[in-house]
Amino acid sequence: MRIFKSLHASWAHCMKASLCMGTMLASGPLLCLATPAMAAGDEASLDALEQQISRIQSEQRALQKALVSVQKQIAAHRTLAHAGPSAAHHGLAAHQVASLDAADHEAGIAVNSADRDEESAASATHHLGGNGHFRAGGPDAQPVFGGAEDSPTVESVVGHRAEDVISRVAENGVGPHSRESAGAQAAGALGDHGVFHLGPVTLILGGFIDASAVESNRHTASGTFNFWQDTPFKNEPRYHTDNFEGSARYSRLSLMARGNIDKYSTISGVFEMDFGAGAATTDAYESNSYAFRMRQAYLAYDNSKENLHFLAGQAWSMLTPGRVGIIPRQESLPETIESSMLAGQTWSRQLQFRFVKDFLSHRLWTGLSIENSATLYNLNNFAAGSSDGQVVLPTGQTVTVGSDGTGLTNNALFPNEIAPDVIGKIAWDPHWGHYEVEGILHFPHDRVSTLGGGKNHTAVGGGGGGSMILPVIPHKVEVRIAGLAGYGIGRYGSVLLPDATLKSNGAPSPLFSMQGTAGIIAHPNPLIDVYGYFGYQQAGRSYFSEGGNAYGYGNPAYNNTGCYTELSSNCAAGSNIHSVMEATVGAWYRFLKGRYGTVEAGVQLAYSRIHAWDGNGGAPDTSLSEVFMDFRYLPFQ
């Protein structure tokens, strides 16, 4: 019996040592409590040892289960990272992803593009159970919030998310831009790969390398930027020649610096630049040295406690249609390759002071924007008094509408402006769709002078419009409709039809303007975008005749008799455009996507029709057919 007990004690001691060693190797040191009394075969000690062995074995089994769970989560995250946005569609709700992003930011963790894919996050709201927990399992398994106390709010994340926090909780079926899409890039989307922390400030990079080209059936010498008013009529030799032009000048670089004031508010500054300007040394034969230019530069303050938002600087005009609320970098811009975007598109980038407040959990938005004014006059048919923004009326009076730039500004006409443009907007984000109504006031101003005196004239222009995005299949197929109409607001359309001409007394005469776009955009899978758009813009007419001569815009006495005869100079149609229509279709394919960024290629077919106002000889028209091609590398997306 003593021998048996001694053997039993020795076996137990060996097992205990083995278990301790195995446990230490598997999970770190655990306390081993073997004593000399146990080795001596004490009966009570043996019973205690057996209980300890049982407990350790139970802990080891629990530890193994935990290790397996961790391994599965690591595998799931790796699968999600390699699968791209499509895998994320089964994971997080928009506001829950924002909360996870906040935690990642707090810990200093760089989150990959799949975790930050906004479109995927928004579409995943359909995968939530009634108790707010995630339903996903298996390779798509994600952490689970324990209850209402863990539910993220805007207040908990507004100071932490890299950008566009509030747009993530809109849940309007439209959602924020997918950042690698052409529309998002046009709006100024920032990256999720290029995020750096410099003390309390977060730096976020954005932009792309762009190689684009266009083949057109007319020679317009404007590259991928359509300047429709320069489209030649049949009297010009350019009408009868094809043209190919390519450039990398619309490559872009952007930077945001963002800091947290407190858990409710942030301050951010955004720069966006490209090479779209033509320098004095630019030539198309050797260097193609296009100038670095400012696209956007603004600061923004956001407070989610008071639901107040302020923007100051150069940004997209608040008249530009949006996707979510009234939020910068969420403008609804076409997915097109052409840098002029689309005929009839409402937009401008200019200095503004924008004040926005939202209500009803970020569903109702109101905004007021004071923006830089610049009246676009048509004075082609008045006798020129000088090159400095002056024309001579039939009465001999001189009208000054502006002055050529001097000093550090370019040598172009800067119009007289007595007041800024005043723009108001209301946006509504229900659970289905995004809807906007807007209005603008504009004040053209000039001076009519005679020798020894003169008189100032101010006209009142303005108008209204709106837009909507209908998510026919949320995050898969959407319909976009937008329009604007009024007097003296033609420059807010891509065609740049004139805002005003002059009356017989020299006072500004605002022209009626109407513009609109409609499009359908599909995302059959996360790698492909397909789109089709129709755009239209027209200008009204205002004219007078005196002394047998015709003046103004769209005067029926203008000579159009030579518009169909090559080399004829009898064609006033080019300076009296009535309307421009564009129909276009295209697609983008993201054929490379990973931690290194996104590489995509696009192709677009476009057809434009330009109609002139009728005059002596009829109402001429012309057309433009184009094929656009583009390769684009988005290193931060």
Side-chain angles (χ1 to χ4, degrees):
M1 188 64 180
R2 288 181 179 177
I3 295 174
F4 174 78
K5 288 184 176 181
S6 178
L7 290 172
H8 187 277
S10 299
W11 173 85
H13 183 64
C14 293
M15 288 298 295
K16 176 70 171 89
S18 299
L19 285 171
C20 287
M21 182 62 69
T23 304
M24 290 172 66
L25 291 174
S27 62
L30 292 176
L31 186 61
C32 292
L33 298 176
T35 67
M38 293 177 188
D42 182 82
E43 188 73 33
S45 298
L46 286 174
D47 292 339
L49 178 60
E50 289 175 347
Q51 292 176 4
Q52 191 174 8
I53 291 172
S54 177
R55 178 177 60 79
I56 291 172
Q57 288 174 335
S58 176
E59 291 177 354
Q60 197 171 33
R61 286 193 295 270
L63 179 61
Q64 289 173 341
K65 289 182 179 179
L67 288 173
V68 170
S69 176
V70 170
Q71 290 171 345
K72 287 183 177 180
Q73 290 188 39
I74 292 173
H77 281 287
R78 286 176 176 169
T79 302
L80 188 62
H82 289 294
S86 60
H89 278 273
H90 303 289
L92 302 176
H95 62 287
Q96 291 165 322
V97 171
S99 181
L100 292 178
D101 286 343
D104 287 342
H105 186 114
E106 291 274 288
I109 298 173
V111 180
N112 63 38
S113 61
D115 293 327
R116 291 193 183 275
D117 189 279
E118 297 183 44
E119 182 182 15
S120 302
S123 65
T125 55
H126 301 290
H127 296 273
L128 287 176
N131 59 2
H133 291 187
F134 292 102
R135 291 181 179 174
D140 294 328
Q142 300 289 348
V144 176
F145 291 115
E149 69 278 4
D150 296 320
S151 298
T153 63
V154 172
E155 289 77 8
S156 68
V157 299
V158 69
H160 310 297
R161 181 67 174 90
E163 69 161 325
D164 299 333
V165 177
I166 296 175
S167 68
R168 283 174 162 265
V169 298
E171 297 179 2
N172 59 4
V174 176
H177 281 292
S178 175
R179 294 187 197 171
E180 65 271 13
S181 68
Q185 292 297 316
L190 297 168
D192 30 77
H193 291 175
V195 179
F196 306 92
H197 305 292
L198 190 65
V201 175
T202 300
L203 301 178
I204 308 126
L205 298 176
F208 52 84
I209 305 298
D210 185 78
S212 59
V214 59
E215 175 74 32
S216 60
N217 67 334
R218 312 279 182 245
H219 188 193
T220 58
S222 59
T224 59
F225 183 93
N226 276 338
F227 187 57
W228 286 275
Q229 293 191 69
D230 190 50
T231 305
F233 285 80
K234 288 184 178 180
N235 66 308
E236 298 184 60
R238 296 184 300 129
Y239 177 92
H240 306 278
T241 62
D242 292 353
N243 186 58
F244 174 87
E245 187 173 349
S247 177
R249 63 188 297 191
Y250 295 110
S251 298
R252 198 166 303 165
L253 181 64
S254 56
L255 170 68
M256 171 193 274
R258 184 166 190 158
N260 307 330
I261 299 173
D262 52 44
K263 69 176 182 178
Y264 300 107
S265 56
T266 62
I267 187 74
S268 58
V270 174
F271 289 95
E272 185 184 43
M273 295 78 72
D274 69 9
F275 301 87
T281 57
T282 299
D283 69 86
Y285 303 99
E286 186 177 42
S287 66
N288 291 277
S289 306
Y290 293 98
F292 203 44
R293 67 170 184 170
M294 179 178 69
R295 285 175 58 89
Q296 298 189 80
Y298 61 85
L299 66 89
Y301 170 78
D302 296 281
N303 187 313
S304 66
K305 185 175 183 179
E306 304 297 334
N307 294 326
L308 293 175
H309 314 275
F310 172 72
L311 183 149
Q314 178 165 307
W316 293 93
S317 169
M318 201 172 70
L319 277 182
T320 310
R323 293 181 62 82
V324 177
I326 304 175
I327 301 175
R329 301 182 306 284
Q330 287 300 328
E331 289 82 9
S332 178
L333 300 174
E335 313 295 326
T336 53
I337 297 171
E338 60 181 288
S339 52
S340 50
M341 294 187 289
L342 178 70
Q345 175 71 33
T346 298
W347 70 278
S348 179
R349 288 193 306 270
Q350 58 195 11
L351 178 76
Q352 59 194 274
F353 301 95
R354 183 191 300 184
F355 306 86
V356 175
K357 182 172 177 58
D358 66 87
F359 306 87
L360 305 177
S361 299
H362 315 292
R363 296 201 177 278
L364 178 64
W365 299 69
T366 59
L368 175 69
S369 189
I370 308 301
E371 304 195 6
N372 197 52
S373 183
T375 304
L376 182 61
Y377 285 93
N378 179 278
L379 305 173
N380 292 336
N381 298 293
F382 290 86
S386 72
S387 61
D388 199 25
Q390 294 180 334
V391 297
V392 178
L393 295 174
T395 58
Q397 296 172 303
T398 297
V399 181
T400 302
V401 299
S403 177
D404 286 352
T406 59
L408 297 180
T409 57
N410 56 306
N411 186 23
L413 181 64
F414 284 73
N416 296 336
E417 299 297 338
I418 195 172
D421 288 352
V422 181
I423 300 171
K425 176 181 279 191
I426 298 174
W428 172 239
D429 287 297
H431 290 287
W432 194 85
H434 175 77
Y435 309 89
E436 299 180 348
V437 293
E438 59 199 10
I440 178 175
L441 286 174
H442 174 60
F443 307 94
H445 179 78
D446 69 8
R447 180 170 179 82
V448 179
S449 303
T450 57
L451 185 62
K455 181 180 181 181
N456 294 336
H457 295 272
T458 301
V460 178
S467 66
M468 64 178 68
I469 302 180
L470 308 176
V472 178
I473 303 176
H475 311 290
K476 287 288 187 181
V477 179
E478 64 187 38
V479 172
R480 304 181 193 175
I481 302 172
L484 182 71
Y487 287 85
I489 54 176
R491 76 175 180 95
Y492 282 99
S494 286
V495 180
L496 284 174
L497 293 177
D499 294 324
T501 185
L502 299 179
K503 297 180 180 179
S504 58
N505 66 350
S509 176
L511 298 171
F512 176 75
S513 178
M514 181 175 66
Q515 60 203 47
T517 60
I520 182 167
I521 300 89
H523 313 283
N525 62 57
L527 302 179
I528 296 176
D529 300 326
V530 181
Y531 58 85
Y533 291 99
F534 177 84
Y536 178 82
Q537 184 171 348
Q538 75 169 46
R541 62 203 309 183
S542 176
Y543 56 88
F544 65 94
S545 296
E546 189 166 320
N549 295 316
Y551 302 94
Y553 191 79
N555 196 315
Y558 288 147
N559 189 357
N560 289 333
T561 56
C563 289
Y564 296 98
T565 303
E566 190 167 352
L567 291 182
S568 173
S569 60
N570 296 322
C571 184
S575 59
N576 288 273
I577 301 298
H578 175 214
S579 65
V580 175
M581 175 275 294
E582 181 184 11
T584 186
V585 295
W588 288 92
Y589 173 49
R590 290 178 276 278
F591 56 91
L592 291 175
K593 184 172 176 62
R595 292 174 180 261
Y596 47 80
T598 299
V599 183
E600 59 187 13
V603 63
Q604 177 191 347
L605 306 178
Y607 174 78
S608 299
R609 195 86 186 168
I610 299 95
H611 292 268
W613 277 110
D614 58 294
N616 182 16
D621 59 36
T622 186
S623 63
L624 180 65
S625 298
E626 299 166 291
V627 180
F628 295 88
M629 299 148 283
D630 200 312
F631 280 91
R632 186 173 291 182
Y633 172 43
L634 315 172
F636 309 115
Q637 307 293 356

